[in-house]
Amino acid sequence: MKLAARVGQVSPSLTLEIAAKAKAMKAQGIDVCSFSAGEPDFATPAHIVAAAQKALDEGKTRYGAAAGEPALREAIARKLKTDNGLDYTAENIIVTNGGKQSLFNLMLAAIEPGDEVIIPSPYWVSYPEMVTVAGGTSVIVPTTADTRYKITPPQLREAITPKTKLFVLNSPSNPTGIVYTPEEIRALAEVVVDADIWVVSDEIYEKLLYDGAQHLSIGAVNPEAFDRTLVSGGFAKAYSMTGWRLGYLAGPADVIKATIKIQSHATSHVCTFAQYGAIAALESPESAPCVEQMRQAFDKRRHVMFERINAIPGLSAPKPDGAFYLYINIADTGMKSMEFCNALLDEHHVAAIPGIAFGTDDCIRLSYATDMASIEKGIERLEKFVGSIG
Ligand SMILES: *Cc1c(COP(=O)(O)O)cnc(C)c1O
């Protein structure tokens, strides 16, 4: 078959590829320390599993509404009001197959050839690829460790052209683990409103904050920002529900309606009984202590990984205050990220993600969503590897 041109323009997900290679090595009996996975290593909390099981027992196994179960849309609207100060009702919400489909739906609904989408780098792997599939143009704005990998308001302003449609903001960030302060969010909102562009705020890591970092949703800054904001969220990271495929997009009703139309011809809706697990995640009083327990475990690992990595000559990383990643500069080793990660995996059995996947070839990403013993062992191996390069 002659494949469509867009296939050639899209790259496969490097993160999934390296994770698969590490998994295959493990299956061969090799003791691999894996820092590649972008998913919590905990089981989904039992009360969430029980809620989905109950829905299954009750026969919630039929087709539902494309936009999602009404009770879940309402629960998400309540959550956005309570947690984020965003005034939405159920008609402002679409339930999607993960945060990924939420963003994908949006790109298809909003972006057409000629439209520019501003994406600060390092970025989550899928943003530019989604823009490409939608036929738009990504405008990558490089950031550095000097600004803790945050785009500054002047940088944003400079990147805006008459063709700019959308700005993609991700805080806490994957891959850097960095959280924008409320002041920084307010300053970016001012640029968005001034230039009259749209912003999609990917807030999937909003519950994973450390060192007193605060999460402010850009839509909560003022009514003008609210009118130009789409919020993308999901259940995978905070509730350890990666395989459930549950996310959502919130925004103006006409935009959400357009995404529902698109989704209704693609996946229809999220697995019906899974959505009842999501309702429990949002509404059960048992959820907060579970989330907090996982957050504290991540926090401990974060400290260990940050201290140990920065003690290795040739490596440096800013201290993350959100998510579960450390973004490490490897420029001093003289290696590019792909070469570095392949050698690290092949020779020392440590899986890390090359920064090139996130738009910066002099960095690698380590996830600390893995147990402490693997972190200790993996960092020892990494240290040996870096020591052998010089
Ligand atoms: C994990 C992730 C998502 C979405 O994940 P889903 O599993 O599709 O919910 C979206 N954005 C970022 C930055 C992520 O890391």
Side-chain angles (χ1 to χ4, degrees), residues 302-319 326 328-329 332 366 376 379-380 382-384 386-387:
R302 177 181 69 105
H303 280 292
V304 171
M305 198 177 252
F306 172 75
E307 299 295 338
R308 297 277 312 268
I309 290 292
N310 280 289
I312 300 174
L315 302 186
S316 67
K319 191 167 200 178
L326 196 68
I328 305 166
N329 190 296
D332 284 354
L366 297 194
E376 300 271 2
I379 292 177
E380 259 164 47
L382 176 61
E383 189 166 11
K384 203 180 276 174
V386 174

Side-chain angles (χ1 to χ4, degrees), residues 52-235:
Q53 260 160 2
K54 180 164 170 282
L56 198 47
D57 290 340
E58 286 171 353
K60 300 230 164 53
T61 57
R62 316 295 299 252
Y63 283 137
E69 292 294 287
L72 178 54
R73 293 173 81 192
E74 277 160 25
I76 292 166
R78 271 195 297 279
K79 172 255 177 281
L80 289 168
K81 176 79 191 154
T82 314
D83 292 0
N84 309 101
L86 298 168
D87 236 323
Y88 292 121
T89 63
E91 68 164 2
N92 300 108
I93 313 290
I94 176 175
V95 181
T96 58
N97 285 277
K100 199 173 254 181
Q101 195 191 18
S102 137
L103 294 159
F104 198 79
N105 282 343
L106 173 64
M107 294 305 174
L108 289 184
I111 301 304
E112 57 192 357
D115 288 343
E116 292 178 355
V117 179
I118 297 175
I119 303 173
S121 80
Y123 46 73
W124 185 49
V125 275
S126 294
Y127 299 142
E129 306 295 345
M130 288 175 177
V131 172
T132 299
V133 172
T137 304
S138 295
V139 175
I140 307 295
V141 179
T143 69
T144 64
D146 300 338
T147 62
R148 289 177 57 74
Y149 295 114
K150 295 179 205 184
I151 187 172
T152 63
Q155 276 183 307
L156 177 58
R157 195 166 278 133
E158 199 155 297
I160 294 171
T161 75
K163 291 179 177 168
T164 304
K165 182 78 177 269
L166 184 66
F167 163 47
V168 181
L169 178 62
N170 174 217
S171 176
S173 154
N174 175 5
T176 66
I178 296 300
V179 183
Y180 285 74
T181 66
E183 292 72 50
E184 288 164 342
I185 294 289
R186 285 188 198 103
L188 290 174
E190 199 179 311
V191 179
V192 166
V193 171
D194 271 357
D196 195 15
I197 60 171
W198 289 87
V199 56
V200 60
S201 183
D202 182 350
E203 306 185 359
I204 194 145
Y205 294 99
E206 67 175 319
K207 301 274 186 210
L208 298 176
L209 302 169
Y210 317 105
D211 293 341
Q214 273 182 298
H215 170 75
L216 174 65
S217 183
I218 191 164
V221 169
N222 57 38
E224 293 74 29
F226 180 75
D227 289 344
R228 292 166 176 80
T229 297
L230 294 133
V231 182
S232 180
F235 297 81

Side-chain angles (χ1 to χ4, degrees), residues 371-388:
D371 64 281
M372 198 67 99
S374 301
I375 290 175
E376 300 271 2
K377 188 161 64 178
I379 292 177
E380 259 164 47
R381 293 179 186 180
L382 176 61
E383 189 166 11
K384 203 180 276 174
F385 171 59
V386 174
S388 74

